[in-house]
Amino acid sequence: METLKHKTVKGTLWSSIERFATQAVSFVVMIIMASLLTPEDYGLVAMLTIFIAISQSLVDSGFSNALIRKQDRNETDNSTVFYFNIAVGIFLYLLIFLSAPLIAAFYKQPLLVPIARIMSLSIIINGLAIIQRTVLTSKLDFKTQAKASFSGAVVSGIIGIAMAYTGYGVWSIVAYHIASITTSSVLLWFLSRWRPKLVYSWKSFRELFGFGSKLAISGIIDTLYNNIYLLVIGKAFNAADLGYYTRASQFAQFPSSNITGILQRVTYPVLCTMQDDTERLRDVYRRFLRLSAFVVFPLMMGLATVSKPLILLLLKEQWAFSAVLLPILCFAMMWYPIHAINLNLLQVSGRSDLFLRLEIIKKIIGVAILCITLPLGLIAMCVGSIFSSLICLIINTHYTGKLIQVGFLTQMRDIMPTLAYSLSMGAIVYLVVNMLPVLWLQLTVGIITGVAYFMAITKLTRSRDLKEAVGFIKEIKR
């Protein structure tokens, strides 16, 4: 019988494989397609992101987390949520289909009408596989999900590149998006043993909705806020500027958001099993916190310092402005995994009401900062996102402190050594990169210097986090 620790390690391993293998393929595909397409092409698709993302949040409506948290869930619960997902998905697709002319008029881009109607099909397709993912996640079975996601990335990548190469322009991005979701959803149906029953329970719906609805509202608020920059940039600037921003954001999200996603999916079901043991919950929570910082902070600092040679070598000169935005976004997004673990704790504790309240407060602050920085330009808006992220961190950790006595100061003490190592590493890599005249040398020597310095300083100072990371790796090999 596997111990919880071993299941957690295996779950983290396969969740990491799924995330990074899939994203690595997507990253390579993005580089190839970006060299064949224009910033305007990517900007057009990005204009629709907020509508698709909010719809996906509404389809799930917090039921996935509610099902995972419910330790005595049954087939009636799963089937009830499945039919709800499908019904809401169809409704939202029809809503976007009919609203497409209004969206196009808002951005003054007529081509958005057919693009919106095709891309929004992904809402229904994704809804068909939500319960399969939920059931697998509750079992910490990320291996099966990895197979589906990776296959989707490969198939969609081949389609996207082929269409971009043959001159389909923006439609190659649309096809890539639809093919990815369709392939992974179909494979989840074949690889997962779960099938819906012909049952629906209003009692089950009300019970799950009581917890999930607050998470759903929080998720919608969070999704709206996370994509509001796309909405504002697309409206206030132009499609090219939005293209620059989305490419820089994608580079910054590769380490940050993927590790955040891994941690959220693994820590939530694991911490749920400890929800009645506060002392154990506190200890495991702090370990997750330190490990996430130890992995994310140096990656984000390293990415920030080699952003210019990285962008210019991979995407060429036409994407140069993205290299200006990328370091700023790295500083903002490096805190995302810390946010995720704090918010997971609120859900584990059953405080979806507090979760919702926090999201409202944080988003009001974030929108205020956006309004202040908007007249100052795109770079100022990105700088404002750093302040917004730090303020949100203080708010999140304040309530964590109330629940398990691990507040802001305690968490900062836990991650401060890693932060210091990462900042000093970033300063050294920055100096090295700016001393070299050739782009490929800047990138290569910068990466080698950063890795060597970080490993050396953590080894010399006998970092506790390094020991835990090594122990984690050894557990994976068992």
Side-chain angles (χ1 to χ4, degrees):
M1 181 108 180
E2 285 187 310
T3 65
L4 179 60
K5 179 181 179 182
H6 191 60
K7 288 177 67 177
T8 302
V9 171
K10 283 182 62 179
T12 304
L13 171 64
W14 279 109
S15 185
S16 301
I17 290 173
E18 181 203 1
R19 280 276 177 168
F20 285 106
T22 301
Q23 290 299 317
V25 172
S26 300
F27 189 74
V28 172
V29 171
M30 181 271 291
I31 291 171
I32 297 173
M33 291 181 66
S35 67
L36 298 170
L37 304 174
T38 67
E40 288 82 358
D41 290 329
Y42 279 96
L44 279 172
V45 174
M47 289 174 179
L48 297 171
T49 300
I50 188 169
F51 304 102
I52 304 296
I54 290 175
S55 297
Q56 300 286 18
S57 294
L58 284 169
V59 170
D60 180 76
S61 293
F63 282 110
S64 293
N65 283 337
L67 283 171
I68 293 172
R69 186 177 183 276
K70 187 178 180 183
Q71 299 298 298
D72 61 343
R73 61 186 169 273
N74 54 45
E75 287 304 307
T76 299
D77 295 326
N78 291 335
S79 296
T80 296
V81 175
F82 174 81
Y83 293 120
F84 172 84
N85 292 156
I86 301 304
V88 174
I90 293 172
F91 171 78
L92 290 171
Y93 169 73
L94 293 174
L95 184 62
I96 292 180
F97 185 94
L98 296 174
S99 303
L102 298 177
I103 297 173
F106 175 78
Y107 287 115
K108 298 179 180 178
Q109 296 284 353
L111 187 56
L112 286 178
V113 174
I115 294 176
R117 288 173 172 172
I118 299 298
M119 280 195 66
S120 55
L121 284 169
S122 62
I123 299 169
I124 299 175
I125 299 168
N126 187 63
L128 288 166
I130 288 177
I131 298 302
Q132 278 80 358
R133 290 191 185 93
T134 301
V135 171
L136 292 171
T137 299
S138 65
K139 297 176 181 177
L140 296 181
D141 182 0
F142 297 105
K143 183 177 181 179
T144 300
Q145 296 183 64
K147 294 177 182 177
S149 298
F150 184 76
S151 300
V154 172
V155 171
S156 61
I158 293 172
I159 293 172
I161 291 173
M163 291 184 65
Y165 186 77
T166 51
Y168 281 91
V170 68
W171 289 105
S172 60
I173 306 175
V174 177
Y176 169 77
H177 175 76
I178 294 294
S180 176
I181 292 176
T182 301
T183 304
S184 60
S185 295
V186 169
L187 284 175
L188 281 172
W189 269 84
F190 279 104
L191 296 174
S192 170
R193 295 179 180 179
W194 185 85
R195 295 292 182 272
K197 307 292 184 183
L198 293 175
V199 293
Y200 187 90
S201 169
W202 284 108
K203 179 182 177 182
S204 176
F205 176 86
R206 287 191 295 270
E207 181 182 353
L208 294 168
F209 189 73
F211 177 81
S213 60
K214 300 180 184 67
L215 295 183
I217 297 172
S218 301
I220 292 167
I221 294 172
D222 189 55
T223 301
L224 180 62
Y225 177 76
N226 289 338
N227 290 281
I228 197 170
Y229 276 75
L230 304 182
L231 183 72
V232 171
I233 294 169
K235 180 64 177 176
F237 298 95
N238 55 51
D241 286 327
L242 183 54
Y244 295 132
Y245 176 83
T246 54
R247 289 288 66 72
S249 180
Q250 186 171 13
F251 272 92
Q253 287 178 9
F254 184 75
S256 180
S257 293
N258 282 305
I259 293 174
T260 299
I262 292 166
L263 289 169
Q264 279 185 315
R265 292 199 301 170
V266 175
T267 60
Y268 183 63
V270 170
L271 294 177
C272 279
T273 64
M274 308 172 189
Q275 56 188 285
D276 298 321
D277 188 345
T278 304
E279 186 174 345
R280 188 182 178 204
L281 181 64
R282 184 187 302 120
D283 178 63
V284 173
Y285 169 82
R286 293 179 70 178
R287 289 187 179 187
F288 275 134
L289 192 74
R290 292 195 303 268
L291 182 62
S292 65
F294 189 78
V295 174
V296 174
F297 285 6
L299 285 175
M300 297 304 288
M301 288 303 305
L303 180 59
T305 51
V306 300
S307 58
K308 182 177 179 180
L310 181 67
I311 294 289
L312 293 181
L313 282 172
L314 295 181
L315 302 184
K316 308 306 179 186
E317 192 67 34
Q318 65 172 333
W319 293 94
F321 189 57
S322 293
V324 177
L325 304 178
L326 178 54
I328 306 171
L329 294 177
C330 284
F331 280 98
M333 294 184 180
M334 67 185 289
W335 301 99
Y336 277 20
I338 312 300
H339 290 301
I341 298 176
N342 276 274
L343 294 176
N344 265 355
L345 185 68
L346 295 180
Q347 297 180 54
V348 168
S349 302
R351 295 303 306 272
S352 57
D353 58 329
L354 183 56
F355 189 102
L356 174 58
R357 190 189 313 164
L358 285 180
E359 288 304 300
I360 294 173
I361 293 171
K362 290 184 298 183
K363 274 32 179 186
I364 290 174
I365 294 172
V367 170
I369 292 174
L370 174 60
C371 292
I372 292 170
T373 56
L374 176 60
L376 303 177
L378 191 52
I379 294 177
M381 290 170 63
C382 293
V383 172
S385 67
I386 298 176
F387 290 97
S388 178
S389 184
L390 292 173
I391 292 171
C392 290
L393 179 67
I394 294 172
I395 294 173
N396 286 337
T397 53
H398 170 74
Y399 284 97
T400 305
K402 285 189 172 184
L403 289 173
I404 61 169
Q405 292 75 55
V406 184
F408 178 76
L409 293 179
T410 301
Q411 294 191 37
M412 290 303 102
R413 281 195 296 268
D414 281 343
I415 66 176
M416 191 55 68
T418 295
L419 181 60
Y421 300 148
S422 301
L423 289 173
S424 60
M425 180 204 72
I428 290 172
V429 173
Y430 179 80
L431 292 174
V432 170
V433 166
N434 283 276
M435 289 172 59
L436 299 171
V438 184
L439 289 175
W440 69 266
L441 269 179
Q442 291 176 354
L443 182 61
T444 304
V445 176
I447 293 174
I448 294 173
T449 301
V451 173
Y453 174 84
F454 189 79
M455 295 307 297
I457 192 67
T458 53
K459 186 75 173 178
L460 289 172
T461 57
R462 298 179 179 179
S463 168
R464 173 181 60 175
D465 300 321
L466 176 61
K467 293 178 182 177
E468 290 201 2
V470 171
F472 193 83
I473 293 172
K474 288 181 179 178
E475 184 71 25
I476 289 174
K477 294 180 179 179
R478 290 184 183 178

